[in-house]
Amino acid sequence: MVRRVGRGRRLSDGDVDDVLQEVRIRVWRALGTGEKIAAAPASYVYRTAVSAALDLIRRRRGREVELETLDARGPAPSGDRGPVTPDRSLERSELGERIWQAVDAIADARRAVVRMYLNGYRLDEIATLLDWTPARTRNLLYRGLGDVRRRLGDLGIGPGGRTE
């Protein structure tokens, strides 16, 4: 059943094996004993397989986004919709680098949440992947984004502002 879920999501054989291993780990952690695992309904295993497959796809998507933005490691300034010139491209690249430097300078737990958020994960997905409560995840995200804003403000970067 797990292999069918993986193939249904167009995963390679190696990725299907990874999903199978992840499902085994998740079921073992959740249920613990062999008797409980044997008594688990097939729907539980199926939902666990779908969740593991989607998590794998999201992690891959996050890495692809990261690879695509290596030259400009952050979002473009808001409201910046003009033509891309070499100067503007350099400015975006420098701003992106400063944003990621600010993210790298915040506390570890906040950094993890902010990085995932900037890579396109929703708050509920982040909470699930990090195995945290939604309230904790939201709190760390808001505090982390506040830390990043303060660090960028110290550099003269902010709403309506430009880089130094």
Side-chain angles (χ1 to χ4, degrees), residues 30-154:
L31 302 176
T33 65
E35 294 144 5
K36 288 182 181 177
I37 292 172
S43 63
Y44 176 79
V45 176
Y46 177 80
R47 285 191 320 262
T48 305
V50 169
S51 176
L54 292 176
D55 288 347
L56 177 73
I57 292 167
R58 287 183 188 120
R59 280 193 306 271
R60 295 273 163 78
R61 185 183 69 198
R63 283 190 211 126
E64 289 172 8
V65 167
E66 200 172 298
L67 290 175
E68 289 172 3
T69 59
L70 272 179
D71 58 344
R73 290 185 44 180
S78 62
D80 189 11
R81 308 225 190 285
V84 177
T85 64
D87 290 339
R88 290 182 82 120
S89 179
L90 180 61
E91 182 179 315
R92 286 182 182 175
S93 177
E94 290 172 357
L95 178 60
E97 188 60 38
R98 287 186 180 184
I99 290 170
W100 285 108
Q101 286 173 354
V103 170
D104 289 341
I106 63 177
D108 289 343
R110 293 178 185 179
R111 182 180 328 129
V113 174
V114 170
R115 281 183 180 167
M116 292 176 81
Y117 181 77
L118 292 176
N119 277 313
Y121 287 89
R122 294 186 325 263
L123 200 58
D124 60 322
E125 292 175 320
I126 297 169
T128 301
L129 290 172
L130 296 176
D131 197 25
W132 291 345
T133 64
R136 178 182 183 195
T137 306
R138 183 178 53 252
N139 186 7
L140 289 171
L141 175 62
Y142 291 149
R143 288 179 184 224
L145 290 173
D147 291 347
V148 170
R149 280 188 208 103
R150 275 190 295 283
R151 290 182 183 281
L152 292 173
D154 292 345

Side-chain angles (χ1 to χ4, degrees), residues 22-43:
E22 181 65 24
V23 168
R24 287 177 179 154
I25 291 170
R26 288 181 185 187
V27 169
W28 178 76
R29 281 184 182 161
L31 302 176
T33 65
E35 294 144 5
K36 288 182 181 177
I37 292 172
S43 63

